[in-house]
Amino acid sequence: MTKKEAKKKILGYFKENSIPYRFLNEESKLIILDFSDTVYLNVEIPEVIGGYIETCLRFLGEGLFAQSYYCQPVIHSEEIEVKAARIIAYLNQHLNYTCNSLYPHIFGLDDEGGDILNRCYIRYELLERYFYESMNHILNFSVQQLADVCLPVMSYLAGESTYFEATKIGIDHKLMGNPVEAQ
C-alpha cells in the first residue's frame, strides 16, 4: 500500500462511518487530497482536560504517524515539565495493555504546545493487512489510553496527588488492577 492509497482508504473509511475530520490548512487555501498529508479528528470526552482528545494523522513515506493529545497545554513551568517527564517515563515503562501488541505506543511531551501526547507509528503494509484493527487502534485504543491516564496524570501535575498516589494507586491499581505495593 502506498501513502496515496492509505490516505484514500482511511478518508473513505471516515466518510463511510460519518467520522468528521479536517485537513491541516495553515494557509486558508483549498486543499487537494494529494497535497495534504495531515488529517485531524477529535473525540469529545468531558472527563479529560480540555473536554476532548484530538488525533492527528500524518502520512509519511513508509507509514502513518498517529498521535493523540489533550488539546490543552498542561506544561506551564519548568517544574511542571520535569514532573510531566517523570510521569510520562513511568507510563512508557509500566502501562501495559494486552491489546497493545500490534502498534506500540510512546507517551511524550509537545515542547512547543505544552501538551502530553500518545504516539504510534503504523507501517502501510500493516495498515493494509490489518486495516480495521488499525482503524480501531487509531480511533479508539489510542484515545482511550490517553483518557484513562488523564486523572492520575493531571492530579499529579497539579500537585493534588503525590507521585506514588498517581502511579501506584491511580495507574497501577485503579487502572491496571494490580495490587498496591507498599511505599
Side-chain angles (χ1 to χ4, degrees):
M1 174 177 276
T2 66
K3 177 169 87 170
K4 187 174 180 178
E5 292 169 335
K7 198 181 324 180
K8 185 175 180 179
K9 187 164 185 166
I10 287 174
L11 295 179
Y13 179 86
F14 291 162
K15 288 176 185 172
E16 288 172 17
N17 292 286
S18 302
I19 299 170
Y21 65 92
R22 60 185 166 81
F23 289 105
L24 176 64
N25 189 357
E26 294 175 352
E27 298 176 12
S28 299
K29 296 179 181 177
L30 292 175
I31 295 177
I32 299 170
L33 176 62
D34 294 341
F35 297 136
S36 178
D37 288 334
T38 306
V39 177
Y40 289 91
L41 314 123
N42 65 33
V43 176
E44 287 186 34
I45 303 178
E47 61 270 9
V48 301
I49 185 169
Y52 64 99
I53 292 177
E54 188 164 276
T55 299
C56 171
L57 305 177
R58 288 197 173 93
F59 296 89
L60 306 173
E62 300 295 322
L64 170 68
F65 182 67
Q67 68 181 24
S68 298
Y69 46 95
Y70 293 122
C71 302
Q72 183 166 331
V74 297
I75 311 302
H76 304 290
S77 69
E78 192 173 310
E79 178 187 349
I80 300 294
E81 186 174 3
V82 170
K83 288 175 80 172
R86 184 176 186 205
I87 199 160
I88 286 170
Y90 186 87
L91 292 172
N92 285 330
Q93 287 184 323
H94 298 281
L95 193 63
N96 187 15
Y97 286 87
T98 57
C99 58
N100 200 19
S101 60
L102 190 57
Y103 306 115
H105 286 256
I106 297 173
F107 286 89
L109 291 174
D110 175 10
D111 295 335
E112 294 175 15
D115 208 341
I116 293 177
L117 310 168
N118 185 6
R119 304 171 173 159
C120 74
Y121 180 76
I122 302 171
R123 295 191 57 80
Y124 293 136
E125 305 91 57
L126 289 175
L127 179 67
E128 182 174 31
R129 186 170 183 183
Y130 302 105
F131 182 76
Y132 293 104
E133 295 89 341
S134 299
M135 296 312 299
N136 184 48
H137 197 84
I138 292 167
L139 299 173
N140 298 316
F141 177 75
S142 296
V143 171
Q144 188 60 52
Q145 190 180 38
L146 197 57
D148 287 348
V149 300
C150 186
L151 182 61
V153 168
M154 293 306 145
S155 68
Y156 172 64
L157 295 180
E160 297 168 1
S161 67
T162 66
Y163 180 75
F164 176 83
E165 291 167 335
T167 57
K168 298 301 180 186
I169 297 171
I171 295 168
D172 288 352
H173 179 65
K174 289 183 179 177
L175 180 59
M176 301 307 297
N178 297 327
V180 177
E181 299 173 14
Q183 188 173 5

